[in-house]
């Protein structure tokens, strides 16, 4: 995008420079010659005036003219030729060479005055002025290039940012982007993306809550039904026992189908996940948030051993951890600790600080939308949980005071190939 904008702008500047620079150069070249001839004509008129005054008392004889006085009106390197009928020409000045620049005016009866200047002098002036015009054209092109570069960057960077924002939204990153670019059209697109992100986050949360409630209710009812059918299998009537066993088998099959459907839903949510070393991903998050912590007079400590491989979507886990760090900056105190470790059947990412923690009455609702202990919107933790759950993980408040949030992620095999689907297992509860 930036290259195309830059190329198109430079092309317009180049065409403009050629269209205007060519005629301007030719016009300047001719103007220099016109100005030179005009100056020669002015000098001849001054000479003619002095000759009129001199010859009036000298009976028209050029031999009595004060030639030194006339030399003052001759340009440097020029030559004056006085021609009068019936008299030899009078020449004042050196030889100007072949093809001189000359101007002639009539003087007296049948006479004339010619002022000549070397042709090289005219050419030197024309070349100098033309070079100045060419330099101005080059400067205009350079200025256009600078303006084109700045304009391309000012347009391309916001467009790239909006495109990245849309890509993150498609990847399940529902966090709003507060930065704006000062371009009304792009800012309007950013506002629409933020609105869409909020609506999608609410939709996804409602869908997951509904799926969770439905699965819980179905499991409860199936369990109760299986217990009843298990009791019926002890009935003394053989036919009743057969029917109870058949019904119990169908109930077990229905429970297996429910498990498969839930497993398929979790796998679909994590379809864009990749095999990632948590040390690399969390180091990027730490580098991103350290300037904000330094500005607040605080620090960040990173404790992530090498070799922790998780099957995650990089954008989701980065934004989820970033939301937890941002929450620690806004509501916590002291050093923020970002750590990761391996546990049984899962990987744990922990974000903690030395603040006062979460009030007791807010602990059950800390991940609810709109719930906040300060003036924030209360969306960060809810979106962080949605992002983690989208990759088949789980986000919990593992300690209220001082606060510690823990992300549970399924363990990925070290020999798994990136891009190859892995079985999705539910983190331990």
């Amino acid at each position: 995008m930036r290259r195309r904008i830059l190329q198109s702008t430079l092309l317009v500047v180049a065409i403009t420079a050629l269209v205007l620079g060519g005629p301007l150069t030719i016009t300047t070249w001719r103007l220099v010659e016109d100005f030179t001839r005009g100056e020669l004509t002015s000098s001849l008129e001054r000479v003619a005036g002095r000759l009129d005054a001199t010859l009036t008392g000298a009976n028209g004889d050029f031999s009595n003219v004060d030639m030194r006085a006339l030399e003052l009106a001759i340009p440097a390197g020029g030559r004056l030729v006085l021609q009068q009928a019936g008299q030899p020409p009078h020449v004042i000045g050196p030889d100007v060479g072949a093809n001189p620049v000359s101007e002639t005016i009539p003087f007296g009866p049948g006479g004339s005055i010619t002022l000549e200047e070397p042709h090289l002098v005219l050419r030197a002036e024309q070349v100098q002025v033309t070079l100045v015009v060419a330099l101005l054209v080059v400067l205009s092109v350079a200025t256009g290039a600078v303006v084109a570069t700045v304009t391309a960057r000012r347009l391309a960077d916001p467009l790239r940012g909006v495109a990245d924002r849309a890509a993150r939204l498609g990847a399940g990153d529902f966090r709003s982007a507060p930065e704006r670019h000062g371009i009304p059209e792009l800012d309007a697109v950013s506002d629409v993306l933020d609105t869409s992100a909020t609506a999608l986050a609410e939709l996804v949360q409602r869908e997951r809550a509904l799926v969770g409630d439905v699965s819980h209710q179905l499991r409860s009812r199936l369990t109760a039904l299986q217990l009843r059918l298990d009791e019926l299998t002890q009935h003394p009537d053989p036919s009743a026992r057969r029917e109870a066993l058949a019904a119990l088998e169908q109930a077990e099959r229905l429970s297996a189908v429910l498990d498969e459907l839930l497993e398929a839903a979790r796998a679909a949510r994590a379809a864009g996940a990749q095999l990632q070393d948590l040390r690399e991903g969390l180091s990027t998050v730490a580098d991103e948030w350290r300037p904000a912590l330094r500005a607040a007079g605080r620090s960040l400590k990173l404790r992530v051993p090498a070799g922790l491989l998780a099957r995650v979507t990089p954008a989701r886990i980065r934004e989820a951890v970033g939301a937890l760090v941002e929450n620690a900056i806004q509501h916590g105190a002291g050093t923020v600790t970002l750590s990761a470790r391996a546990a049984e059947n899962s990987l744990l990412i922990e974000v903690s600080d030395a603040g006062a923690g979460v009030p007791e009455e807010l602990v059950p609702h800390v991940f609810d939308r709109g719930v906040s202990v300060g003036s924030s919107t209360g969306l960060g933790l809810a979106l962080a949980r949605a992002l983690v759950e989208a990759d088949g993980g789980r986000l919990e408040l593992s300690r209220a005071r001082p606060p510690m949030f823990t992300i549970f992620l399924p363990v990925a095999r070290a020999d798994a190939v990136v891009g190859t689907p892995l079985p999705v297992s539910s983190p331990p509860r």
Side-chain angles (χ1 to χ4, degrees), residues 205 361-372 377-383 385:
Q205 285 184 319
E361 63 275 11
L362 292 182
V363 170
H365 309 288
V366 70
F367 295 105
D368 294 346
R369 294 179 61 85
V371 175
S372 174
T377 59
L379 299 177
L381 294 180
L383 291 178
R385 170 173 272 188

Side-chain angles (χ1 to χ4, degrees), residues 1 5 154-164 181 183 186:
M1 173 62 74
I5 295 175
R154 188 172 183 269
L155 291 177
D157 289 347
L159 284 173
R160 188 179 295 109
V162 172
D164 292 342
H181 310 288
I183 302 176
L186 292 180

Side-chain angles (χ1 to χ4, degrees), residues 32-33 36 101 117-127:
V32 171
E33 183 175 356
T36 301
V101 181
E117 190 176 69
H119 188 75
L120 293 178
V121 175
L122 173 62
R123 286 292 179 264
E125 293 180 356
Q126 287 176 324
V127 170

Side-chain angles (χ1 to χ4, degrees), residues 177-203:
E179 67 274 5
R180 292 296 181 265
H181 310 288
I183 302 176
E185 292 78 5
L186 292 180
D187 290 344
V189 174
S190 298
D191 293 338
V192 172
L193 287 176
D194 285 347
T195 304
S196 300
T198 301
L200 287 174
E202 293 176 350
L203 179 63

